[in-house]
Amino acid sequence: MLGFKVSVLLFAVCSLSKCSGRFLNSCNYPPSKWCDSRDIAAECGVLEQCIKFNVTKPTAAPVNVSLYYESLCPGCRQFLVMQLVPTLIMLQDIMDVDLVPYGNAQEKEDQGKYIFTCQHGEVECLGNMIETCLLNMLGINAIPVIFCMESGADVVKAAQPCFGVYFPDKNWDSVMKCVNGDEGNKLMHQNAVKTSGLKPPHQYVPWITINGEHSDALQDKAMSSLFNLVCSLYKGDKPPACGVGLKKKTNSYCMK
């Protein structure tokens, strides 16, 4: 989780939509390096945040939150942007997150490759594929990029500039090579298998599992306040953030 801890510092310092060019250009290191030393943290203006993020130590197993979603589903976007990522920023030391971009899509096999049909059309299939490749390439560090995409007016058009904000030293072509190649096709098939294997089977998205389990009660609590749910389920010493609270009700779904 350390990698994500470093990446989310950008959220703590400024709004994605309002970050000035002056701030971004004043630091010569990518977010993944900001907390490598006090000097780098100071140069990038995040010394206080780095110190705070390194104070909390988990004392029990983290709460696992898995989100099965599709990139253009309004309810999925709302939950990811207003519940999941803010909760992860505040409670990253006591929770793990697993994103599965597939949702209500369908697949069929044709000459050794998989053809996908998505609920919101071909553009959603592309968005799903980009986010899948980002997750495979970057792991947990892909979440800030996906947050940036999902909070934009156009998820797919936002992908490359969002990627550039967080990983200016990486080549976007490497992402698109995955998206357009066999690797992305196989990764999306894995998402399809994982989604179809849900028990109980998903009926809508966003579909949320907590520690591998789904129930109407857990879904309702997660949609109402994921923050409060994670705090209540964590069995170790509660971090100070749990005393603050965060509540953003999300009640929009994309039905199958």
Side-chain angles (χ1 to χ4, degrees), residues 33-69:
K33 300 291 185 182
W34 284 359
C35 290
D36 280 4
S37 73
R38 292 181 66 90
D39 290 342
I40 294 175
E43 178 180 335
C44 295
V46 293
L47 180 58
E48 181 180 354
Q49 287 85 355
C50 283
I51 293 173
K52 288 181 179 179
F53 281 138
N54 282 302
V55 168
T56 306
K57 301 297 180 183
T59 58
V63 177
N64 180 266
V65 179
S66 295
L67 174 63
Y68 294 79
Y69 73 107

PDB file of all heavy atoms in Angstrom, residues 33-69:
ATOM      1  N   LYS A  33       8.066   9.056  -5.964  1.00  0.00           N
ATOM      2  CA  LYS A  33       9.346   9.340  -5.300  1.00  0.00           C
ATOM      3  C   LYS A  33       9.235  10.390  -4.200  1.00  0.00           C
ATOM      4  O   LYS A  33      10.206  10.687  -3.516  1.00  0.00           O
ATOM      5  CB  LYS A  33      10.371   9.829  -6.342  1.00  0.00           C
ATOM      6  CG  LYS A  33      10.658   8.838  -7.465  1.00  0.00           C
ATOM      7  CD  LYS A  33      11.400   7.621  -6.970  1.00  0.00           C
ATOM      8  CE  LYS A  33      11.776   6.703  -8.122  1.00  0.00           C
ATOM      9  NZ  LYS A  33      12.466   5.476  -7.644  1.00  0.00           N
ATOM     10  N   TRP A  34       8.053  10.971  -4.033  1.00  0.00           N
ATOM     11  CA  TRP A  34       7.922  12.131  -3.150  1.00  0.00           C
ATOM     12  C   TRP A  34       8.346  11.864  -1.709  1.00  0.00           C
ATOM     13  O   TRP A  34       8.854  12.761  -1.056  1.00  0.00           O
ATOM     14  CB  TRP A  34       6.479  12.626  -3.174  1.00  0.00           C
ATOM     15  CG  TRP A  34       6.133  13.394  -4.418  1.00  0.00           C
ATOM     16  CD1 TRP A  34       6.960  13.688  -5.461  1.00  0.00           C
ATOM     17  CD2 TRP A  34       4.860  13.941  -4.752  1.00  0.00           C
ATOM     18  NE1 TRP A  34       6.286  14.380  -6.425  1.00  0.00           N
ATOM     19  CE2 TRP A  34       5.003  14.552  -6.023  1.00  0.00           C
ATOM     20  CE3 TRP A  34       3.632  13.970  -4.118  1.00  0.00           C
ATOM     21  CZ2 TRP A  34       3.935  15.209  -6.649  1.00  0.00           C
ATOM     22  CZ3 TRP A  34       2.583  14.613  -4.743  1.00  0.00           C
ATOM     23  CH2 TRP A  34       2.736  15.226  -5.982  1.00  0.00           C
ATOM     24  N   CYS A  35       8.102  10.692  -1.204  1.00  0.00           N
ATOM     25  CA  CYS A  35       8.419  10.422   0.195  1.00  0.00           C
ATOM     26  C   CYS A  35       9.709   9.615   0.362  1.00  0.00           C
ATOM     27  O   CYS A  35       9.955   9.061   1.434  1.00  0.00           O
ATOM     28  CB  CYS A  35       7.255   9.686   0.874  1.00  0.00           C
ATOM     29  SG  CYS A  35       5.787  10.720   1.098  1.00  0.00           S
ATOM     30  N   ASP A  36      10.544   9.563  -0.675  1.00  0.00           N
ATOM     31  CA  ASP A  36      11.794   8.806  -0.587  1.00  0.00           C
ATOM     32  C   ASP A  36      12.773   9.421   0.402  1.00  0.00           C
ATOM     33  O   ASP A  36      13.596   8.731   1.002  1.00  0.00           O
ATOM     34  CB  ASP A  36      12.456   8.696  -1.965  1.00  0.00           C
ATOM     35  CG  ASP A  36      11.832   7.600  -2.824  1.00  0.00           C
ATOM     36  OD1 ASP A  36      10.844   7.002  -2.370  1.00  0.00           O
ATOM     37  OD2 ASP A  36      12.336   7.369  -3.939  1.00  0.00           O
ATOM     38  N   SER A  37      12.719  10.735   0.555  1.00  0.00           N
ATOM     39  CA  SER A  37      13.597  11.412   1.505  1.00  0.00           C
ATOM     40  C   SER A  37      12.946  12.709   1.948  1.00  0.00           C
ATOM     41  O   SER A  37      12.043  13.229   1.287  1.00  0.00           O
ATOM     42  CB  SER A  37      14.965  11.707   0.878  1.00  0.00           C
ATOM     43  OG  SER A  37      14.868  12.762  -0.071  1.00  0.00           O
ATOM     44  N   ARG A  38      13.419  13.241   3.066  1.00  0.00           N
ATOM     45  CA  ARG A  38      12.880  14.510   3.558  1.00  0.00           C
ATOM     46  C   ARG A  38      13.166  15.633   2.565  1.00  0.00           C
ATOM     47  O   ARG A  38      12.344  16.531   2.378  1.00  0.00           O
ATOM     48  CB  ARG A  38      13.489  14.844   4.927  1.00  0.00           C
ATOM     49  CG  ARG A  38      13.049  13.912   6.043  1.00  0.00           C
ATOM     50  CD  ARG A  38      13.691  14.327   7.366  1.00  0.00           C
ATOM     51  NE  ARG A  38      13.211  15.628   7.810  1.00  0.00           N
ATOM     52  CZ  ARG A  38      12.148  15.814   8.578  1.00  0.00           C
ATOM     53  NH1 ARG A  38      11.439  14.778   9.007  1.00  0.00           N
ATOM     54  NH2 ARG A  38      11.781  17.032   8.929  1.00  0.00           N
ATOM     55  N   ASP A  39      14.334  15.604   1.923  1.00  0.00           N
ATOM     56  CA  ASP A  39      14.689  16.667   0.975  1.00  0.00           C
ATOM     57  C   ASP A  39      13.739  16.678  -0.221  1.00  0.00           C
ATOM     58  O   ASP A  39      13.280  17.740  -0.653  1.00  0.00           O
ATOM     59  CB  ASP A  39      16.131  16.491   0.488  1.00  0.00           C
ATOM     60  CG  ASP A  39      17.160  16.788   1.577  1.00  0.00           C
ATOM     61  OD1 ASP A  39      16.780  17.445   2.576  1.00  0.00           O
ATOM     62  OD2 ASP A  39      18.314  16.370   1.423  1.00  0.00           O
ATOM     63  N   ILE A  40      13.452  15.486  -0.757  1.00  0.00           N
ATOM     64  CA  ILE A  40      12.537  15.411  -1.899  1.00  0.00           C
ATOM     65  C   ILE A  40      11.137  15.848  -1.476  1.00  0.00           C
ATOM     66  O   ILE A  40      10.468  16.611  -2.184  1.00  0.00           O
ATOM     67  CB  ILE A  40      12.501  13.984  -2.476  1.00  0.00           C
ATOM     68  CG1 ILE A  40      13.855  13.622  -3.091  1.00  0.00           C
ATOM     69  CG2 ILE A  40      11.389  13.855  -3.520  1.00  0.00           C
ATOM     70  CD1 ILE A  40      13.939  12.188  -3.587  1.00  0.00           C
ATOM     71  N   ALA A  41      10.699  15.387  -0.311  1.00  0.00           N
ATOM     72  CA  ALA A  41       9.372  15.769   0.178  1.00  0.00           C
ATOM     73  C   ALA A  41       9.267  17.279   0.350  1.00  0.00           C
ATOM     74  O   ALA A  41       8.247  17.890   0.007  1.00  0.00           O
ATOM     75  CB  ALA A  41       9.081  15.058   1.494  1.00  0.00           C
ATOM     76  N   ALA A  42      10.325  17.870   0.870  1.00  0.00           N
ATOM     77  CA  ALA A  42      10.330  19.323   1.066  1.00  0.00           C
ATOM     78  C   ALA A  42      10.290  20.051  -0.270  1.00  0.00           C
ATOM     79  O   ALA A  42       9.558  21.037  -0.447  1.00  0.00           O
ATOM     80  CB  ALA A  42      11.570  19.734   1.864  1.00  0.00           C
ATOM     81  N   GLU A  43      11.092  19.578  -1.231  1.00  0.00           N
ATOM     82  CA  GLU A  43      11.120  20.216  -2.553  1.00  0.00           C
ATOM     83  C   GLU A  43       9.761  20.150  -3.230  1.00  0.00           C
ATOM     84  O   GLU A  43       9.351  21.093  -3.915  1.00  0.00           O
ATOM     85  CB  GLU A  43      12.168  19.538  -3.437  1.00  0.00           C
ATOM     86  CG  GLU A  43      12.223  20.113  -4.854  1.00  0.00           C
ATOM     87  CD  GLU A  43      13.256  19.435  -5.731  1.00  0.00           C
ATOM     88  OE1 GLU A  43      14.226  18.878  -5.182  1.00  0.00           O
ATOM     89  OE2 GLU A  43      13.098  19.469  -6.968  1.00  0.00           O
ATOM     90  N   CYS A  44       9.055  19.037  -3.039  1.00  0.00           N
ATOM     91  CA  CYS A  44       7.753  18.848  -3.682  1.00  0.00           C
ATOM     92  C   CYS A  44       6.595  19.392  -2.845  1.00  0.00           C
ATOM     93  O   CYS A  44       5.428  19.245  -3.225  1.00  0.00           O
ATOM     94  CB  CYS A  44       7.539  17.365  -3.989  1.00  0.00           C
ATOM     95  SG  CYS A  44       8.718  16.715  -5.202  1.00  0.00           S
ATOM     96  N   GLY A  45       6.907  19.964  -1.699  1.00  0.00           N
ATOM     97  CA  GLY A  45       5.890  20.611  -0.884  1.00  0.00           C
ATOM     98  C   GLY A  45       4.976  19.674  -0.138  1.00  0.00           C
ATOM     99  O   GLY A  45       3.836  20.035   0.184  1.00  0.00           O
ATOM    100  N   VAL A  46       5.442  18.458   0.150  1.00  0.00           N
ATOM    101  CA  VAL A  46       4.576  17.469   0.797  1.00  0.00           C
ATOM    102  C   VAL A  46       5.225  16.878   2.045  1.00  0.00           C
ATOM    103  O   VAL A  46       4.871  15.780   2.466  1.00  0.00           O
ATOM    104  CB  VAL A  46       4.200  16.335  -0.194  1.00  0.00           C
ATOM    105  CG1 VAL A  46       3.322  16.854  -1.309  1.00  0.00           C
ATOM    106  CG2 VAL A  46       5.448  15.652  -0.759  1.00  0.00           C
ATOM    107  N   LEU A  47       6.155  17.580   2.645  1.00  0.00           N
ATOM    108  CA  LEU A  47       6.858  17.040   3.804  1.00  0.00           C
ATOM    109  C   LEU A  47       5.886  16.704   4.932  1.00  0.00           C
ATOM    110  O   LEU A  47       5.952  15.615   5.528  1.00  0.00           O
ATOM    111  CB  LEU A  47       7.915  18.026   4.299  1.00  0.00           C
ATOM    112  CG  LEU A  47       8.738  17.586   5.521  1.00  0.00           C
ATOM    113  CD1 LEU A  47       9.461  16.274   5.230  1.00  0.00           C
ATOM    114  CD2 LEU A  47       9.737  18.675   5.903  1.00  0.00           C
ATOM    115  N   GLU A  48       4.976  17.609   5.236  1.00  0.00           N
ATOM    116  CA  GLU A  48       4.018  17.377   6.322  1.00  0.00           C
ATOM    117  C   GLU A  48       3.145  16.169   6.025  1.00  0.00           C
ATOM    118  O   GLU A  48       2.901  15.324   6.899  1.00  0.00           O
ATOM    119  CB  GLU A  48       3.140  18.612   6.520  1.00  0.00           C
ATOM    120  CG  GLU A  48       2.120  18.467   7.650  1.00  0.00           C
ATOM    121  CD  GLU A  48       1.268  19.708   7.820  1.00  0.00           C
ATOM    122  OE1 GLU A  48       1.536  20.721   7.147  1.00  0.00           O
ATOM    123  OE2 GLU A  48       0.313  19.653   8.613  1.00  0.00           O
ATOM    124  N   GLN A  49       2.685  16.049   4.764  1.00  0.00           N
ATOM    125  CA  GLN A  49       1.831  14.931   4.398  1.00  0.00           C
ATOM    126  C   GLN A  49       2.574  13.606   4.471  1.00  0.00           C
ATOM    127  O   GLN A  49       2.035  12.596   4.924  1.00  0.00           O
ATOM    128  CB  GLN A  49       1.276  15.129   2.982  1.00  0.00           C
ATOM    129  CG  GLN A  49       0.205  16.210   2.890  1.00  0.00           C
ATOM    130  CD  GLN A  49       0.789  17.606   2.728  1.00  0.00           C
ATOM    131  OE1 GLN A  49       1.997  17.790   2.780  1.00  0.00           O
ATOM    132  NE2 GLN A  49      -0.077  18.576   2.525  1.00  0.00           N
ATOM    133  N   CYS A  50       3.850  13.592   4.037  1.00  0.00           N
ATOM    134  CA  CYS A  50       4.642  12.362   4.098  1.00  0.00           C
ATOM    135  C   CYS A  50       4.810  11.893   5.538  1.00  0.00           C
ATOM    136  O   CYS A  50       4.721  10.701   5.832  1.00  0.00           O
ATOM    137  CB  CYS A  50       6.018  12.578   3.455  1.00  0.00           C
ATOM    138  SG  CYS A  50       5.995  12.582   1.648  1.00  0.00           S
ATOM    139  N   ILE A  51       5.064  12.820   6.427  1.00  0.00           N
ATOM    140  CA  ILE A  51       5.226  12.469   7.839  1.00  0.00           C
ATOM    141  C   ILE A  51       3.940  11.885   8.393  1.00  0.00           C
ATOM    142  O   ILE A  51       3.934  10.851   9.065  1.00  0.00           O
ATOM    143  CB  ILE A  51       5.653  13.709   8.652  1.00  0.00           C
ATOM    144  CG1 ILE A  51       7.070  14.148   8.249  1.00  0.00           C
ATOM    145  CG2 ILE A  51       5.601  13.414  10.156  1.00  0.00           C
ATOM    146  CD1 ILE A  51       7.508  15.460   8.868  1.00  0.00           C
ATOM    147  N   LYS A  52       2.807  12.536   8.078  1.00  0.00           N
ATOM    148  CA  LYS A  52       1.521  12.054   8.584  1.00  0.00           C
ATOM    149  C   LYS A  52       1.187  10.680   8.020  1.00  0.00           C
ATOM    150  O   LYS A  52       0.697   9.806   8.726  1.00  0.00           O
ATOM    151  CB  LYS A  52       0.417  13.052   8.226  1.00  0.00           C
ATOM    152  CG  LYS A  52       0.465  14.338   9.034  1.00  0.00           C
ATOM    153  CD  LYS A  52      -0.671  15.259   8.646  1.00  0.00           C
ATOM    154  CE  LYS A  52      -0.654  16.539   9.471  1.00  0.00           C
ATOM    155  NZ  LYS A  52      -1.754  17.452   9.067  1.00  0.00           N
ATOM    156  N   PHE A  53       1.436  10.476   6.730  1.00  0.00           N
ATOM    157  CA  PHE A  53       1.081   9.217   6.090  1.00  0.00           C
ATOM    158  C   PHE A  53       1.922   8.056   6.585  1.00  0.00           C
ATOM    159  O   PHE A  53       1.564   6.904   6.409  1.00  0.00           O
ATOM    160  CB  PHE A  53       1.204   9.321   4.575  1.00  0.00           C
ATOM    161  CG  PHE A  53       0.044  10.023   3.928  1.00  0.00           C
ATOM    162  CD1 PHE A  53       0.266  10.934   2.911  1.00  0.00           C
ATOM    163  CD2 PHE A  53      -1.248   9.771   4.329  1.00  0.00           C
ATOM    164  CE1 PHE A  53      -0.797  11.575   2.300  1.00  0.00           C
ATOM    165  CE2 PHE A  53      -2.318  10.410   3.722  1.00  0.00           C
ATOM    166  CZ  PHE A  53      -2.088  11.318   2.708  1.00  0.00           C
ATOM    167  N   ASN A  54       3.052   8.350   7.199  1.00  0.00           N
ATOM    168  CA  ASN A  54       3.925   7.281   7.674  1.00  0.00           C
ATOM    169  C   ASN A  54       3.774   7.012   9.163  1.00  0.00           C
ATOM    170  O   ASN A  54       4.491   6.187   9.720  1.00  0.00           O
ATOM    171  CB  ASN A  54       5.380   7.615   7.354  1.00  0.00           C
ATOM    172  CG  ASN A  54       5.726   7.350   5.899  1.00  0.00           C
ATOM    173  OD1 ASN A  54       5.592   6.245   5.407  1.00  0.00           O
ATOM    174  ND2 ASN A  54       6.170   8.392   5.205  1.00  0.00           N
ATOM    175  N   VAL A  55       2.844   7.703   9.815  1.00  0.00           N
ATOM    176  CA  VAL A  55       2.675   7.534  11.256  1.00  0.00           C
ATOM    177  C   VAL A  55       1.827   6.306  11.592  1.00  0.00           C
ATOM    178  O   VAL A  55       2.159   5.506  12.449  1.00  0.00           O
ATOM    179  CB  VAL A  55       2.031   8.803  11.869  1.00  0.00           C
ATOM    180  CG1 VAL A  55       1.593   8.532  13.301  1.00  0.00           C
ATOM    181  CG2 VAL A  55       3.028   9.956  11.843  1.00  0.00           C
ATOM    182  N   THR A  56       0.686   6.159  10.900  1.00  0.00           N
ATOM    183  CA  THR A  56      -0.279   5.107  11.243  1.00  0.00           C
ATOM    184  C   THR A  56       0.234   3.732  10.847  1.00  0.00           C
ATOM    185  O   THR A  56       0.649   3.523   9.723  1.00  0.00           O
ATOM    186  CB  THR A  56      -1.617   5.371  10.534  1.00  0.00           C
ATOM    187  OG1 THR A  56      -2.061   6.677  10.846  1.00  0.00           O
ATOM    188  CG2 THR A  56      -2.655   4.353  10.960  1.00  0.00           C
ATOM    189  N   LYS A  57       0.204   2.787  11.767  1.00  0.00           N
ATOM    190  CA  LYS A  57       0.609   1.419  11.491  1.00  0.00           C
ATOM    191  C   LYS A  57      -0.563   0.489  11.786  1.00  0.00           C
ATOM    192  O   LYS A  57      -1.143   0.539  12.872  1.00  0.00           O
ATOM    193  CB  LYS A  57       1.818   1.025  12.347  1.00  0.00           C
ATOM    194  CG  LYS A  57       3.054   1.903  12.136  1.00  0.00           C
ATOM    195  CD  LYS A  57       3.586   1.798  10.704  1.00  0.00           C
ATOM    196  CE  LYS A  57       4.814   2.678  10.529  1.00  0.00           C
ATOM    197  NZ  LYS A  57       5.306   2.654   9.130  1.00  0.00           N
ATOM    198  N   PRO A  58      -0.942  -0.365  10.831  1.00  0.00           N
ATOM    199  CA  PRO A  58      -2.081  -1.263  11.053  1.00  0.00           C
ATOM    200  C   PRO A  58      -1.775  -2.295  12.125  1.00  0.00           C
ATOM    201  O   PRO A  58      -0.646  -2.748  12.264  1.00  0.00           O
ATOM    202  CB  PRO A  58      -2.275  -1.921   9.688  1.00  0.00           C
ATOM    203  CG  PRO A  58      -0.935  -1.819   9.013  1.00  0.00           C
ATOM    204  CD  PRO A  58      -0.340  -0.532   9.507  1.00  0.00           C
ATOM    205  N   THR A  59      -2.799  -2.655  12.901  1.00  0.00           N
ATOM    206  CA  THR A  59      -2.629  -3.641  13.972  1.00  0.00           C
ATOM    207  C   THR A  59      -3.485  -4.885  13.739  1.00  0.00           C
ATOM    208  O   THR A  59      -3.549  -5.754  14.602  1.00  0.00           O
ATOM    209  CB  THR A  59      -2.996  -3.016  15.330  1.00  0.00           C
ATOM    210  OG1 THR A  59      -4.342  -2.532  15.283  1.00  0.00           O
ATOM    211  CG2 THR A  59      -2.055  -1.868  15.672  1.00  0.00           C
ATOM    212  N   ALA A  60      -4.163  -4.954  12.595  1.00  0.00           N
ATOM    213  CA  ALA A  60      -4.984  -6.116  12.263  1.00  0.00           C
ATOM    214  C   ALA A  60      -5.067  -6.229  10.745  1.00  0.00           C
ATOM    215  O   ALA A  60      -4.596  -5.348  10.016  1.00  0.00           O
ATOM    216  CB  ALA A  60      -6.383  -5.979  12.869  1.00  0.00           C
ATOM    217  N   ALA A  61      -5.661  -7.310  10.270  1.00  0.00           N
ATOM    218  CA  ALA A  61      -5.803  -7.507   8.827  1.00  0.00           C
ATOM    219  C   ALA A  61      -6.665  -6.386   8.234  1.00  0.00           C
ATOM    220  O   ALA A  61      -7.660  -5.981   8.835  1.00  0.00           O
ATOM    221  CB  ALA A  61      -6.443  -8.856   8.550  1.00  0.00           C
ATOM    222  N   PRO A  62      -6.280  -5.889   7.074  1.00  0.00           N
ATOM    223  CA  PRO A  62      -7.072  -4.814   6.459  1.00  0.00           C
ATOM    224  C   PRO A  62      -8.428  -5.316   5.982  1.00  0.00           C
ATOM    225  O   PRO A  62      -8.622  -6.511   5.729  1.00  0.00           O
ATOM    226  CB  PRO A  62      -6.198  -4.382   5.272  1.00  0.00           C
ATOM    227  CG  PRO A  62      -5.381  -5.588   4.938  1.00  0.00           C
ATOM    228  CD  PRO A  62      -5.124  -6.273   6.248  1.00  0.00           C
ATOM    229  N   VAL A  63      -9.363  -4.407   5.857  1.00  0.00           N
ATOM    230  CA  VAL A  63     -10.679  -4.709   5.297  1.00  0.00           C
ATOM    231  C   VAL A  63     -10.553  -4.668   3.773  1.00  0.00           C
ATOM    232  O   VAL A  63     -10.074  -3.681   3.212  1.00  0.00           O
ATOM    233  CB  VAL A  63     -11.732  -3.686   5.762  1.00  0.00           C
ATOM    234  CG1 VAL A  63     -13.088  -3.969   5.120  1.00  0.00           C
ATOM    235  CG2 VAL A  63     -11.833  -3.683   7.285  1.00  0.00           C
ATOM    236  N   ASN A  64     -10.949  -5.750   3.117  1.00  0.00           N
ATOM    237  CA  ASN A  64     -10.852  -5.796   1.664  1.00  0.00           C
ATOM    238  C   ASN A  64     -12.160  -5.359   1.024  1.00  0.00           C
ATOM    239  O   ASN A  64     -13.221  -5.894   1.329  1.00  0.00           O
ATOM    240  CB  ASN A  64     -10.493  -7.204   1.182  1.00  0.00           C
ATOM    241  CG  ASN A  64     -10.394  -7.261  -0.335  1.00  0.00           C
ATOM    242  OD1 ASN A  64     -11.347  -7.599  -1.014  1.00  0.00           O
ATOM    243  ND2 ASN A  64      -9.239  -6.908  -0.863  1.00  0.00           N
ATOM    244  N   VAL A  65     -12.063  -4.378   0.134  1.00  0.00           N
ATOM    245  CA  VAL A  65     -13.219  -3.866  -0.596  1.00  0.00           C
ATOM    246  C   VAL A  65     -12.994  -4.132  -2.080  1.00  0.00           C
ATOM    247  O   VAL A  65     -12.034  -3.616  -2.664  1.00  0.00           O
ATOM    248  CB  VAL A  65     -13.424  -2.363  -0.359  1.00  0.00           C
ATOM    249  CG1 VAL A  65     -14.621  -1.854  -1.157  1.00  0.00           C
ATOM    250  CG2 VAL A  65     -13.596  -2.068   1.128  1.00  0.00           C
ATOM    251  N   SER A  66     -13.841  -4.950  -2.688  1.00  0.00           N
ATOM    252  CA  SER A  66     -13.750  -5.226  -4.119  1.00  0.00           C
ATOM    253  C   SER A  66     -14.912  -4.545  -4.826  1.00  0.00           C
ATOM    254  O   SER A  66     -16.073  -4.678  -4.406  1.00  0.00           O
ATOM    255  CB  SER A  66     -13.784  -6.732  -4.394  1.00  0.00           C
ATOM    256  OG  SER A  66     -12.646  -7.367  -3.851  1.00  0.00           O
ATOM    257  N   LEU A  67     -14.586  -3.827  -5.896  1.00  0.00           N
ATOM    258  CA  LEU A  67     -15.607  -3.115  -6.663  1.00  0.00           C
ATOM    259  C   LEU A  67     -15.681  -3.699  -8.072  1.00  0.00           C
ATOM    260  O   LEU A  67     -14.713  -3.651  -8.822  1.00  0.00           O
ATOM    261  CB  LEU A  67     -15.285  -1.624  -6.738  1.00  0.00           C
ATOM    262  CG  LEU A  67     -16.195  -0.789  -7.643  1.00  0.00           C
ATOM    263  CD1 LEU A  67     -17.629  -0.805  -7.125  1.00  0.00           C
ATOM    264  CD2 LEU A  67     -15.678   0.652  -7.762  1.00  0.00           C
ATOM    265  N   TYR A  68     -16.833  -4.257  -8.402  1.00  0.00           N
ATOM    266  CA  TYR A  68     -17.109  -4.753  -9.744  1.00  0.00           C
ATOM    267  C   TYR A  68     -17.928  -3.669 -10.439  1.00  0.00           C
ATOM    268  O   TYR A  68     -19.030  -3.335  -9.991  1.00  0.00           O
ATOM    269  CB  TYR A  68     -17.868  -6.077  -9.679  1.00  0.00           C
ATOM    270  CG  TYR A  68     -17.040  -7.192  -9.074  1.00  0.00           C
ATOM    271  CD1 TYR A  68     -16.878  -7.292  -7.693  1.00  0.00           C
ATOM    272  CD2 TYR A  68     -16.393  -8.118  -9.887  1.00  0.00           C
ATOM    273  CE1 TYR A  68     -16.096  -8.298  -7.128  1.00  0.00           C
ATOM    274  CE2 TYR A  68     -15.610  -9.136  -9.335  1.00  0.00           C
ATOM    275  CZ  TYR A  68     -15.468  -9.210  -7.952  1.00  0.00           C
ATOM    276  OH  TYR A  68     -14.684 -10.196  -7.408  1.00  0.00           O
ATOM    277  N   TYR A  69     -17.391  -3.133 -11.527  1.00  0.00           N
ATOM    278  CA  TYR A  69     -17.982  -1.931 -12.100  1.00  0.00           C
ATOM    279  C   TYR A  69     -17.716  -1.870 -13.598  1.00  0.00           C
ATOM    280  O   TYR A  69     -17.010  -2.710 -14.159  1.00  0.00           O
ATOM    281  CB  TYR A  69     -17.403  -0.687 -11.420  1.00  0.00           C
ATOM    282  CG  TYR A  69     -15.963  -0.379 -11.816  1.00  0.00           C
ATOM    283  CD1 TYR A  69     -15.664   0.690 -12.662  1.00  0.00           C
ATOM    284  CD2 TYR A  69     -14.897  -1.149 -11.339  1.00  0.00           C
ATOM    285  CE1 TYR A  69     -14.350   0.974 -13.027  1.00  0.00           C
ATOM    286  CE2 TYR A  69     -13.590  -0.860 -11.693  1.00  0.00           C
ATOM    287  CZ  TYR A  69     -13.317   0.195 -12.537  1.00  0.00           C
ATOM    288  OH  TYR A  69     -12.018   0.471 -12.899  1.00  0.00           O
TER     289      TYR A  69
END
